[in-house]
C-alpha cells in the first residue's frame, strides 16, 4: 500500500518505536488488523519494518491506521513524504495488554521477529 506520512498521536516515539503513520485513501486494500513484518519504502530505500494495522486498542483507539516502524533506524523524518509499505508476513493479531510494560515487552519481541523474517526474505 502507498500513502503520505502524516502526524499521528506520536505515542510510538514516546515508547521508543517511532512509526511512520501512512495515510490511507478510501478503498485502499489493507490487510487484516495485526502486526506484520515487511518493508517501508521511502526516499529510494527499502527499510526492514514492523508494521501495525488496526485501531490501537491499548489506547482505546477507534480509527484504523497503518503504522510502520523502520527497524534500527534513528532520526527519520518522513512527514509529508509519499511512501510505500510492503507486507511480508503476519506476526500476530492486535491485542490489549494489562500494562504498558507488557505492551513494550511484546513490541520488542515483535520487532525481533520482524527483523528475523525480513532478513530471511528476498528484498523487494
Amino acid at each position: 500500500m502507498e500513502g503520505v506520512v502524516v502526524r499521528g498521536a506520536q505515542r510510538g516515539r514516546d515508547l521508543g518505536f517511532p512509526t511512520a503513520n501512512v495515510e490511507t485513501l478510501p478503498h485502499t486494500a489493507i490487510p487484516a488488523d495485526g502486526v506484520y513484518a515487511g518493508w517501508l519504502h521511502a526516499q529510494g530505500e527499502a527499510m526492514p519494518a514492523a508494521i501495525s494495522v488496526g485501531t490501537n486498542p491499548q489506547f482505546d483507539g477507534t480509527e484504523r491506521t497503518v503504522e510502520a516502524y523502520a527497524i534500527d533506524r534513528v532520526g527519520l523524518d518522513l512527514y509529508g513524504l509519499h511512501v510505500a509499505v510492503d507486507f511480508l508476513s503476519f506476526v500476530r493479531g492486535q491485542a490489549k495488554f494489562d500494562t504498558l510494560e507488557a505492551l513494550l515487552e511484546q513490541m520488542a519481541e515483535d520487532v525481533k521477529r520482524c527483523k528475523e523474517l525480513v532478513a530471511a526474505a528476498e528484498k523487494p
Side-chain angles (χ1 to χ4, degrees), residues 1-5 20 22 38-43 45-47 49 51 66 68 78 81-87:
M1 61 134 326
E2 298 181 29
V4 174
V5 176
V22 184
W39 290 270
L40 173 63
H41 298 268
Q43 301 175 316
E45 184 178 356
M47 298 171 267
I51 307 155
V66 175
L78 303 176
L81 295 181
H82 185 265
V83 300
V85 178
D86 277 335
F87 296 88

Side-chain angles (χ1 to χ4, degrees), residues 58-90:
Q58 189 72 30
F59 302 100
D60 300 322
T62 57
E63 187 176 329
R64 196 162 184 251
T65 61
V66 175
E67 303 179 46
Y69 167 63
I71 298 171
D72 295 335
R73 297 299 300 262
V74 177
L76 283 178
D77 183 2
L78 303 176
Y79 292 118
L81 295 181
H82 185 265
V83 300
V85 178
D86 277 335
F87 296 88
L88 169 67
S89 182
F90 181 81

